[in-house]
Amino acid sequence: MGPMPEASGSGMADEEDYSTFENKTGLAEDMKFLASMPELCDVTFLVGDTREPVCAVKAVLAARSRVFHKMLYQTPSPQRKKEPPVRENKIRLFLKRSSEPLLNLQNAAQQRSGFTQQLAPIQEPQSQQHHTLIIEEFEPDVFRQLIEYIHTGCVTLQPRTLLGVMNAADYYGLDELRRACAGFVQCCITVDTVCALLASAERYIQYKCTKSLVQKVLEFVDEHGNEVLNLGSFTLLPQHVVRLILAREELRADEFTKFQAALMWSKKYCDNNQNTQLKDVIGNFIEYIQFHKIPATVLMQEVNPLSLVPPEIIMNALAYQTQPVLTPENSLPTE
């Protein structure tokens, strides 16, 4: 009988490896459910000005973020204390020796009565205690999305909370999430979202990720100036952001549209602040509008009757428009 044929290496390589089984179906949902059940969590964050509770599992947070690991598990090392005076040590030893007979008598009495009373409760290990921490740096919606991502590896990015999530990811050392937010910026900046992105920048102005995002948003505003200024959401921007936009030389918007945007914002502000005068509010934006570029008919029919722009500005704009334009034909002869 001839020798048995050896199994070829290529045949073994083609066989499917059954030693590893992987099934992630439902894992993200299960982890999301875990974080949504307070009785299954061991840390509660009280977030924002409203102290809204957000629950989580400490071990998951620590495994995914070094910042959370340090916050939840690494206690600061105690400072070395000076040795107490010798006299104080003697007093403590005396009190200890004096109390020992009393404790012995108590223990004996308890044993005689048939039971042993536990004098001091067993302390729960610090790692098993339920922590409650206050988070003031981020809004509740932002922090909740961050916690969801840490537990599940998934999160739905939204323009309204994008800047907060990006800065939170940077703050807690979640680089992949931060890069995902940076990539999402390019596709989420639209006429419909631009004001929401700028408004959120006010909350996170002190963080380093804010500057790069705001710059990209302002570049978009420059390209779509007339559309952005006509948005109703433009009135929701902080005053200094409105001034920043109107003052930009790169802004592609006509001057009358800029005036109408300033007027719309000022009216909204006065509606929310009853003790303010419309003329005083819109006065904060007058210097950023080049009235001489608004046609004279529009100045006299639309702007001047409102009595919101100082008369001298209107007159100077009209005078500028009546000046003859110097051309090579009518310019003064040179000697």
Side-chain angles (χ1 to χ4, degrees), residues 87-126:
R87 182 174 180 273
E88 184 178 347
N89 281 339
K90 290 182 177 180
I91 294 176
R92 289 184 176 180
L93 289 174
F94 172 76
L95 292 175
K96 182 176 184 298
R97 288 196 303 268
S98 300
S99 61
E100 285 175 352
L102 178 60
L103 291 175
N104 292 334
L105 290 175
Q106 290 177 339
N107 292 334
Q110 290 169 357
Q111 291 174 358
R112 284 195 300 271
S113 61
F115 68 93
T116 301
Q117 181 179 0
Q118 186 176 349
L119 297 179
I122 299 176
Q123 293 295 323
E124 186 180 9
Q126 185 178 1

Side-chain angles (χ1 to χ4, degrees), residues 82-276:
K82 296 181 179 180
E83 290 296 329
V86 178
R87 182 174 180 273
E88 184 178 347
N89 281 339
K90 290 182 177 180
I91 294 176
R92 289 184 176 180
L93 289 174
F94 172 76
L95 292 175
K96 182 176 184 298
R97 288 196 303 268
S98 300
S99 61
E100 285 175 352
L102 178 60
L103 291 175
N104 292 334
L105 290 175
Q106 290 177 339
N107 292 334
Q110 290 169 357
Q111 291 174 358
R112 284 195 300 271
S113 61
F115 68 93
T116 301
Q117 181 179 0
Q118 186 176 349
L119 297 179
I122 299 176
Q123 293 295 323
E124 186 180 9
Q126 185 178 1
S127 60
Q128 298 179 7
Q129 293 177 357
H130 190 105
H131 280 69
T132 301
L133 302 174
I134 294 176
I135 301 295
E136 296 179 330
E137 296 86 356
F138 301 99
E139 297 170 299
D141 288 347
V142 166
F143 196 78
R144 188 179 294 105
Q145 285 184 282
L146 182 83
I147 295 299
E148 178 180 335
Y149 168 77
I150 290 177
H151 283 76
T152 67
C154 306
V155 67
T156 301
L157 299 176
Q158 303 168 343
R160 182 178 58 84
T161 56
L162 176 63
L163 186 55
V165 173
M166 183 189 298
N167 282 297
D170 182 66
Y171 185 86
Y172 290 103
L174 304 170
D175 292 336
E176 292 184 0
L177 178 59
R178 178 184 56 78
R179 287 193 292 268
C181 291
F184 183 64
V185 168
Q186 299 297 337
C187 63
C188 83
I189 301 178
T190 66
V191 172
D192 296 327
T193 64
V194 64
C195 288
L197 289 168
L198 285 174
S200 66
E202 179 74 4
R203 176 68 173 78
Y204 301 106
I205 198 67
Q206 73 272 28
Y207 294 97
K208 63 181 181 181
C209 290
T210 302
K211 184 177 180 180
S212 60
L213 184 140
V214 169
Q215 183 58 38
K216 291 183 174 63
V217 174
L218 288 176
E219 291 172 359
F220 180 89
V221 172
D222 292 338
E223 294 292 325
H224 304 81
N226 284 327
E227 293 179 83
V228 173
L229 294 180
N230 282 313
L231 292 172
S233 54
F234 185 80
T235 60
L236 304 177
L237 295 176
Q239 182 180 130
H240 68 89
V241 176
V242 175
R243 295 175 66 178
L244 174 64
I245 293 174
L246 295 179
R248 290 178 66 83
E249 295 181 359
E250 302 85 356
L251 181 65
R252 296 183 181 180
D254 63 78
E255 300 303 316
F256 184 59
T257 299
K258 290 169 63 176
F259 173 77
Q260 288 179 310
L263 178 61
M264 179 175 62
W265 190 95
S266 300
K267 286 182 176 179
K268 182 71 173 182
Y269 182 88
C270 290
D271 290 341
N272 296 330
N273 300 271
Q274 298 294 330
N275 295 327
T276 56

Side-chain angles (χ1 to χ4, degrees), residues 26-41 55-57 147-149 151-152:
L27 178 60
E29 287 300 318
D30 291 341
M31 294 298 293
K32 185 176 181 179
F33 174 77
L34 172 65
S36 68
M37 301 295 290
E39 62 269 24
L40 301 180
C41 299
C55 298
V57 179
I147 295 299
E148 178 180 335
Y149 168 77
H151 283 76
T152 67

Side-chain angles (χ1 to χ4, degrees), residues 61-71 74 172-174:
L61 299 182
R64 301 267 282 161
S65 165
R66 292 183 179 180
V67 177
F68 275 120
H69 180 268
K70 184 176 181 180
M71 178 191 303
Q74 294 183 4
Y172 290 103
L174 304 170

